[in-house]
mmCIF file with all atom_site columns, all heavy atoms in Angstrom:
data_model
loop_
_atom_site.group_PDB
_atom_site.id
_atom_site.type_symbol
_atom_site.label_atom_id
_atom_site.label_alt_id
_atom_site.label_comp_id
_atom_site.label_asym_id
_atom_site.label_entity_id
_atom_site.label_seq_id
_atom_site.pdbx_PDB_ins_code
_atom_site.Cartn_x
_atom_site.Cartn_y
_atom_site.Cartn_z
_atom_site.occupancy
_atom_site.B_iso_or_equiv
_atom_site.pdbx_formal_charge
_atom_site.auth_seq_id
_atom_site.auth_comp_id
_atom_site.auth_asym_id
_atom_site.auth_atom_id
_atom_site.pdbx_PDB_model_num
ATOM 1   N N   . VAL B 1 9  ? 14.128 18.637 10.343 1.00 94.00 ? 259 VAL B N   1
ATOM 2   C CA  . VAL B 1 9  ? 14.101 19.051 11.751 1.00 94.00 ? 259 VAL B CA  1
ATOM 3   C C   . VAL B 1 9  ? 12.639 19.143 12.221 1.00 94.00 ? 259 VAL B C   1
ATOM 4   O O   . VAL B 1 9  ? 12.300 18.718 13.330 1.00 94.00 ? 259 VAL B O   1
ATOM 5   C CB  . VAL B 1 9  ? 14.854 20.391 11.958 1.00 94.00 ? 259 VAL B CB  1
ATOM 6   C CG1 . VAL B 1 9  ? 14.626 20.917 13.355 1.00 94.00 ? 259 VAL B CG1 1
ATOM 7   C CG2 . VAL B 1 9  ? 16.343 20.185 11.706 1.00 94.00 ? 259 VAL B CG2 1
ATOM 8   N N   . GLN B 1 10 ? 11.781 19.675 11.329 1.00 93.00 ? 260 GLN B N   1
ATOM 9   C CA  . GLN B 1 10 ? 10.362 19.769 11.677 1.00 93.00 ? 260 GLN B CA  1
ATOM 10  C C   . GLN B 1 10 ? 9.790  18.390 11.977 1.00 93.00 ? 260 GLN B C   1
ATOM 11  O O   . GLN B 1 10 ? 9.003  18.203 12.910 1.00 93.00 ? 260 GLN B O   1
ATOM 12  C CB  . GLN B 1 10 ? 9.576  20.380 10.510 1.00 93.00 ? 260 GLN B CB  1
ATOM 13  C CG  . GLN B 1 10 ? 9.673  21.890 10.458 1.00 93.00 ? 260 GLN B CG  1
ATOM 14  C CD  . GLN B 1 10 ? 9.117  22.451 9.138  1.00 93.00 ? 260 GLN B CD  1
ATOM 15  O OE1 . GLN B 1 10 ? 8.600  21.710 8.304  1.00 93.00 ? 260 GLN B OE1 1
ATOM 16  N NE2 . GLN B 1 10 ? 9.223  23.751 8.962  1.00 93.00 ? 260 GLN B NE2 1
ATOM 17  N N   . ILE B 1 11 ? 10.215 17.396 11.177 1.00 94.00 ? 261 ILE B N   1
ATOM 18  C CA  . ILE B 1 11 ? 9.732  16.024 11.394 1.00 94.00 ? 261 ILE B CA  1
ATOM 19  C C   . ILE B 1 11 ? 10.159 15.556 12.790 1.00 94.00 ? 261 ILE B C   1
ATOM 20  O O   . ILE B 1 11 ? 9.367  15.029 13.559 1.00 94.00 ? 261 ILE B O   1
ATOM 21  C CB  . ILE B 1 11 ? 10.309 15.065 10.321 1.00 94.00 ? 261 ILE B CB  1
ATOM 22  C CG1 . ILE B 1 11 ? 9.726  15.390 8.947  1.00 94.00 ? 261 ILE B CG1 1
ATOM 23  C CG2 . ILE B 1 11 ? 10.029 13.595 10.666 1.00 94.00 ? 261 ILE B CG2 1
ATOM 24  C CD1 . ILE B 1 11 ? 10.374 14.650 7.803  1.00 94.00 ? 261 ILE B CD1 1
ATOM 25  N N   . GLY B 1 12 ? 11.443 15.797 13.101 1.00 95.00 ? 262 GLY B N   1
ATOM 26  C CA  . GLY B 1 12 ? 11.971 15.396 14.420 1.00 95.00 ? 262 GLY B CA  1
ATOM 27  C C   . GLY B 1 12 ? 11.217 16.053 15.549 1.00 95.00 ? 262 GLY B C   1
ATOM 28  O O   . GLY B 1 12 ? 10.839 15.380 16.527 1.00 95.00 ? 262 GLY B O   1
ATOM 29  N N   . ILE B 1 13 ? 10.969 17.365 15.410 1.00 96.00 ? 263 ILE B N   1
ATOM 30  C CA  . ILE B 1 13 ? 10.261 18.100 16.465 1.00 96.00 ? 263 ILE B CA  1
ATOM 31  C C   . ILE B 1 13 ? 8.820  17.561 16.610 1.00 96.00 ? 263 ILE B C   1
ATOM 32  O O   . ILE B 1 13 ? 8.322  17.352 17.711 1.00 96.00 ? 263 ILE B O   1
ATOM 33  C CB  . ILE B 1 13 ? 10.269 19.619 16.197 1.00 96.00 ? 263 ILE B CB  1
ATOM 34  C CG1 . ILE B 1 13 ? 11.707 20.123 16.321 1.00 96.00 ? 263 ILE B CG1 1
ATOM 35  C CG2 . ILE B 1 13 ? 9.350  20.376 17.160 1.00 96.00 ? 263 ILE B CG2 1
ATOM 36  C CD1 . ILE B 1 13 ? 11.929 21.549 15.867 1.00 96.00 ? 263 ILE B CD1 1
ATOM 37  N N   . PHE B 1 14 ? 8.190  17.316 15.470 1.00 96.00 ? 264 PHE B N   1
ATOM 38  C CA  . PHE B 1 14 ? 6.808  16.793 15.512 1.00 96.00 ? 264 PHE B CA  1
ATOM 39  C C   . PHE B 1 14 ? 6.757  15.488 16.292 1.00 96.00 ? 264 PHE B C   1
ATOM 40  O O   . PHE B 1 14 ? 5.919  15.316 17.199 1.00 96.00 ? 264 PHE B O   1
ATOM 41  C CB  . PHE B 1 14 ? 6.286  16.574 14.066 1.00 96.00 ? 264 PHE B CB  1
ATOM 42  C CG  . PHE B 1 14 ? 5.019  15.739 14.037 1.00 96.00 ? 264 PHE B CG  1
ATOM 43  C CD1 . PHE B 1 14 ? 3.806  16.281 14.384 1.00 96.00 ? 264 PHE B CD1 1
ATOM 44  C CD2 . PHE B 1 14 ? 5.067  14.391 13.660 1.00 96.00 ? 264 PHE B CD2 1
ATOM 45  C CE1 . PHE B 1 14 ? 2.639  15.507 14.373 1.00 96.00 ? 264 PHE B CE1 1
ATOM 46  C CE2 . PHE B 1 14 ? 3.933  13.614 13.652 1.00 96.00 ? 264 PHE B CE2 1
ATOM 47  C CZ  . PHE B 1 14 ? 2.698  14.184 13.997 1.00 96.00 ? 264 PHE B CZ  1
ATOM 48  N N   . PHE B 1 15 ? 7.663  14.595 15.977 1.00 96.00 ? 265 PHE B N   1
ATOM 49  C CA  . PHE B 1 15 ? 7.643  13.296 16.665 1.00 96.00 ? 265 PHE B CA  1
ATOM 50  C C   . PHE B 1 15 ? 8.018  13.425 18.136 1.00 96.00 ? 265 PHE B C   1
ATOM 51  O O   . PHE B 1 15 ? 7.490  12.715 18.993 1.00 96.00 ? 265 PHE B O   1
ATOM 52  C CB  . PHE B 1 15 ? 8.557  12.285 15.946 1.00 96.00 ? 265 PHE B CB  1
ATOM 53  C CG  . PHE B 1 15 ? 7.920  11.628 14.785 1.00 96.00 ? 265 PHE B CG  1
ATOM 54  C CD1 . PHE B 1 15 ? 8.347  11.860 13.476 1.00 96.00 ? 265 PHE B CD1 1
ATOM 55  C CD2 . PHE B 1 15 ? 6.822  10.770 14.956 1.00 96.00 ? 265 PHE B CD2 1
ATOM 56  C CE1 . PHE B 1 15 ? 7.734  11.250 12.399 1.00 96.00 ? 265 PHE B CE1 1
ATOM 57  C CE2 . PHE B 1 15 ? 6.196  10.159 13.883 1.00 96.00 ? 265 PHE B CE2 1
ATOM 58  C CZ  . PHE B 1 15 ? 6.652  10.406 12.587 1.00 96.00 ? 265 PHE B CZ  1
ATOM 59  N N   . LEU B 1 16 ? 8.899  14.367 18.423 1.00 96.00 ? 266 LEU B N   1
ATOM 60  C CA  . LEU B 1 16 ? 9.304  14.606 19.809 1.00 96.00 ? 266 LEU B CA  1
ATOM 61  C C   . LEU B 1 16 ? 8.105  15.067 20.639 1.00 96.00 ? 266 LEU B C   1
ATOM 62  O O   . LEU B 1 16 ? 7.841  14.539 21.751 1.00 96.00 ? 266 LEU B O   1
ATOM 63  C CB  . LEU B 1 16 ? 10.422 15.668 19.827 1.00 96.00 ? 266 LEU B CB  1
ATOM 64  C CG  . LEU B 1 16 ? 11.353 15.694 21.000 1.00 96.00 ? 266 LEU B CG  1
ATOM 65  C CD1 . LEU B 1 16 ? 12.095 14.371 21.138 1.00 96.00 ? 266 LEU B CD1 1
ATOM 66  C CD2 . LEU B 1 16 ? 12.366 16.841 20.843 1.00 96.00 ? 266 LEU B CD2 1
ATOM 67  N N   . VAL B 1 17 ? 7.375  16.032 20.096 1.00 97.00 ? 267 VAL B N   1
ATOM 68  C CA  . VAL B 1 17 ? 6.200  16.566 20.807 1.00 97.00 ? 267 VAL B CA  1
ATOM 69  C C   . VAL B 1 17 ? 5.130  15.482 20.937 1.00 97.00 ? 267 VAL B C   1
ATOM 70  O O   . VAL B 1 17 ? 4.552  15.268 22.008 1.00 97.00 ? 267 VAL B O   1
ATOM 71  C CB  . VAL B 1 17 ? 5.633  17.820 20.062 1.00 97.00 ? 267 VAL B CB  1
ATOM 72  C CG1 . VAL B 1 17 ? 4.330  18.276 20.682 1.00 97.00 ? 267 VAL B CG1 1
ATOM 73  C CG2 . VAL B 1 17 ? 6.656  18.937 20.071 1.00 97.00 ? 267 VAL B CG2 1
ATOM 74  N N   . LEU B 1 18 ? 4.912  14.762 19.825 1.00 96.00 ? 268 LEU B N   1
ATOM 75  C CA  . LEU B 1 18 ? 3.884  13.714 19.830 1.00 96.00 ? 268 LEU B CA  1
ATOM 76  C C   . LEU B 1 18 ? 4.214  12.641 20.868 1.00 96.00 ? 268 LEU B C   1
ATOM 77  O O   . LEU B 1 18 ? 3.350  12.232 21.656 1.00 96.00 ? 268 LEU B O   1
ATOM 78  C CB  . LEU B 1 18 ? 3.819  13.070 18.437 1.00 96.00 ? 268 LEU B CB  1
ATOM 79  C CG  . LEU B 1 18 ? 2.807  11.944 18.264 1.00 96.00 ? 268 LEU B CG  1
ATOM 80  C CD1 . LEU B 1 18 ? 1.381  12.499 18.174 1.00 96.00 ? 268 LEU B CD1 1
ATOM 81  C CD2 . LEU B 1 18 ? 3.105  11.098 17.031 1.00 96.00 ? 268 LEU B CD2 1
ATOM 82  N N   . ALA B 1 19 ? 5.484  12.216 20.899 1.00 96.00 ? 269 ALA B N   1
ATOM 83  C CA  . ALA B 1 19 ? 5.879  11.171 21.829 1.00 96.00 ? 269 ALA B CA  1
ATOM 84  C C   . ALA B 1 19 ? 5.756  11.608 23.297 1.00 96.00 ? 269 ALA B C   1
ATOM 85  O O   . ALA B 1 19 ? 5.356  10.833 24.154 1.00 96.00 ? 269 ALA B O   1
ATOM 86  C CB  . ALA B 1 19 ? 7.324  10.725 21.537 1.00 96.00 ? 269 ALA B CB  1
ATOM 87  N N   . THR B 1 20 ? 6.078  12.882 23.520 1.00 96.00 ? 270 THR B N   1
ATOM 88  C CA  . THR B 1 20 ? 5.966  13.414 24.888 1.00 96.00 ? 270 THR B CA  1
ATOM 89  C C   . THR B 1 20 ? 4.502  13.356 25.332 1.00 96.00 ? 270 THR B C   1
ATOM 90  O O   . THR B 1 20 ? 4.190  12.885 26.438 1.00 96.00 ? 270 THR B O   1
ATOM 91  C CB  . THR B 1 20 ? 6.508  14.849 24.949 1.00 96.00 ? 270 THR B CB  1
ATOM 92  O OG1 . THR B 1 20 ? 7.780  14.869 24.322 1.00 96.00 ? 270 THR B OG1 1
ATOM 93  C CG2 . THR B 1 20 ? 6.626  15.344 26.376 1.00 96.00 ? 270 THR B CG2 1
ATOM 94  N N   . ALA B 1 21 ? 3.617  13.860 24.460 1.00 96.00 ? 271 ALA B N   1
ATOM 95  C CA  . ALA B 1 21 ? 2.201  13.834 24.780 1.00 96.00 ? 271 ALA B CA  1
ATOM 96  C C   . ALA B 1 21 ? 1.702  12.399 24.945 1.00 96.00 ? 271 ALA B C   1
ATOM 97  O O   . ALA B 1 21 ? 0.903  12.091 25.847 1.00 96.00 ? 271 ALA B O   1
ATOM 98  C CB  . ALA B 1 21 ? 1.409  14.535 23.670 1.00 96.00 ? 271 ALA B CB  1
ATOM 99  N N   . TYR B 1 22 ? 2.224  11.527 24.130 1.00 96.00 ? 272 TYR B N   1
ATOM 100 C CA  . TYR B 1 22 ? 1.825  10.115 24.134 1.00 96.00 ? 272 TYR B CA  1
ATOM 101 C C   . TYR B 1 22 ? 2.234  9.453  25.460 1.00 96.00 ? 272 TYR B C   1
ATOM 102 O O   . TYR B 1 22 ? 1.467  8.716  26.087 1.00 96.00 ? 272 TYR B O   1
ATOM 103 C CB  . TYR B 1 22 ? 2.474  9.408  22.946 1.00 96.00 ? 272 TYR B CB  1
ATOM 104 C CG  . TYR B 1 22 ? 2.114  7.960  22.747 1.00 96.00 ? 272 TYR B CG  1
ATOM 105 C CD1 . TYR B 1 22 ? 0.873  7.620  22.197 1.00 96.00 ? 272 TYR B CD1 1
ATOM 106 C CD2 . TYR B 1 22 ? 2.995  6.962  23.095 1.00 96.00 ? 272 TYR B CD2 1
ATOM 107 C CE1 . TYR B 1 22 ? 0.569  6.287  21.995 1.00 96.00 ? 272 TYR B CE1 1
ATOM 108 C CE2 . TYR B 1 22 ? 2.655  5.621  22.901 1.00 96.00 ? 272 TYR B CE2 1
ATOM 109 C CZ  . TYR B 1 22 ? 1.463  5.294  22.333 1.00 96.00 ? 272 TYR B CZ  1
ATOM 110 O OH  . TYR B 1 22 ? 1.130  3.983  22.137 1.00 96.00 ? 272 TYR B OH  1
ATOM 111 N N   . ILE B 1 23 ? 3.442  9.776  25.918 1.00 96.00 ? 273 ILE B N   1
ATOM 112 C CA  . ILE B 1 23 ? 3.922  9.204  27.175 1.00 96.00 ? 273 ILE B CA  1
ATOM 113 C C   . ILE B 1 23 ? 3.113  9.747  28.346 1.00 96.00 ? 273 ILE B C   1
ATOM 114 O O   . ILE B 1 23 ? 2.721  9.013  29.259 1.00 96.00 ? 273 ILE B O   1
ATOM 115 C CB  . ILE B 1 23 ? 5.432  9.478  27.367 1.00 96.00 ? 273 ILE B CB  1
ATOM 116 C CG1 . ILE B 1 23 ? 6.229  8.568  26.412 1.00 96.00 ? 273 ILE B CG1 1
ATOM 117 C CG2 . ILE B 1 23 ? 5.865  9.215  28.813 1.00 96.00 ? 273 ILE B CG2 1
ATOM 118 C CD1 . ILE B 1 23 ? 7.712  8.638  26.533 1.00 96.00 ? 273 ILE B CD1 1
ATOM 119 N N   . ILE B 1 24 ? 2.837  11.058 28.292 1.00 95.00 ? 274 ILE B N   1
ATOM 120 C CA  . ILE B 1 24 ? 1.985  11.650 29.371 1.00 95.00 ? 274 ILE B CA  1
ATOM 121 C C   . ILE B 1 24 ? 0.650  10.910 29.395 1.00 95.00 ? 274 ILE B C   1
ATOM 122 O O   . ILE B 1 24 ? 0.113  10.611 30.460 1.00 95.00 ? 274 ILE B O   1
ATOM 123 C CB  . ILE B 1 24 ? 1.828  13.179 29.147 1.00 95.00 ? 274 ILE B CB  1
ATOM 124 C CG1 . ILE B 1 24 ? 3.184  13.873 29.336 1.00 95.00 ? 274 ILE B CG1 1
ATOM 125 C CG2 . ILE B 1 24 ? 0.774  13.765 30.106 1.00 95.00 ? 274 ILE B CG2 1
ATOM 126 C CD1 . ILE B 1 24 ? 3.208  15.325 28.914 1.00 95.00 ? 274 ILE B CD1 1
ATOM 127 N N   . GLY B 1 25 ? 0.124  10.603 28.205 1.00 94.00 ? 275 GLY B N   1
ATOM 128 C CA  . GLY B 1 25 ? -1.153 9.898  28.102 1.00 94.00 ? 275 GLY B CA  1
ATOM 129 C C   . GLY B 1 25 ? -1.138 8.520  28.761 1.00 94.00 ? 275 GLY B C   1
ATOM 130 O O   . GLY B 1 25 ? -2.177 8.030  29.202 1.00 94.00 ? 275 GLY B O   1
ATOM 131 N N   . THR B 1 26 ? 0.030  7.910  28.848 1.00 93.00 ? 276 THR B N   1
ATOM 132 C CA  . THR B 1 26 ? 0.106  6.557  29.433 1.00 93.00 ? 276 THR B CA  1
ATOM 133 C C   . THR B 1 26 ? -0.234 6.565  30.933 1.00 93.00 ? 276 THR B C   1
ATOM 134 O O   . THR B 1 26 ? -0.641 5.552  31.471 1.00 93.00 ? 276 THR B O   1
ATOM 135 C CB  . THR B 1 26 ? 1.506  5.923  29.280 1.00 93.00 ? 276 THR B CB  1
ATOM 136 O OG1 . THR B 1 26 ? 2.458  6.748  29.928 1.00 93.00 ? 276 THR B OG1 1
ATOM 137 C CG2 . THR B 1 26 ? 1.889  5.749  27.847 1.00 93.00 ? 276 THR B CG2 1
ATOM 138 N N   . PHE B 1 27 ? -0.035 7.731  31.576 1.00 92.00 ? 277 PHE B N   1
ATOM 139 C CA  . PHE B 1 27 ? -0.320 7.777  33.016 1.00 92.00 ? 277 PHE B CA  1
ATOM 140 C C   . PHE B 1 27 ? -1.832 7.666  33.287 1.00 92.00 ? 277 PHE B C   1
ATOM 141 O O   . PHE B 1 27 ? -2.232 7.401  34.418 1.00 92.00 ? 277 PHE B O   1
ATOM 142 C CB  . PHE B 1 27 ? 0.275  9.041  33.645 1.00 92.00 ? 277 PHE B CB  1
ATOM 143 C CG  . PHE B 1 27 ? 1.772  9.034  33.544 1.00 92.00 ? 277 PHE B CG  1
ATOM 144 C CD1 . PHE B 1 27 ? 2.452  9.905  32.707 1.00 92.00 ? 277 PHE B CD1 1
ATOM 145 C CD2 . PHE B 1 27 ? 2.522  8.100  34.255 1.00 92.00 ? 277 PHE B CD2 1
ATOM 146 C CE1 . PHE B 1 27 ? 3.830  9.868  32.581 1.00 92.00 ? 277 PHE B CE1 1
ATOM 147 C CE2 . PHE B 1 27 ? 3.908  8.052  34.140 1.00 92.00 ? 277 PHE B CE2 1
ATOM 148 C CZ  . PHE B 1 27 ? 4.567  8.936  33.302 1.00 92.00 ? 277 PHE B CZ  1
ATOM 149 N N   . GLY B 1 28 ? -2.654 7.880  32.237 1.00 89.00 ? 278 GLY B N   1
ATOM 150 C CA  . GLY B 1 28 ? -4.081 7.727  32.405 1.00 89.00 ? 278 GLY B CA  1
ATOM 151 C C   . GLY B 1 28 ? -4.547 6.298  32.196 1.00 89.00 ? 278 GLY B C   1
ATOM 152 O O   . GLY B 1 28 ? -5.729 5.987  32.335 1.00 89.00 ? 278 GLY B O   1
#
Side-chain angles (χ1 to χ4, degrees):
Chain B
V259 170
Q260 280 169 4
I261 293 171
I263 292 171
F264 166 76
F265 277 114
L266 204 60
V267 173
L268 179 76
T270 311
Y272 184 77
I273 287 184
I274 293 170
T276 60
F277 296 110

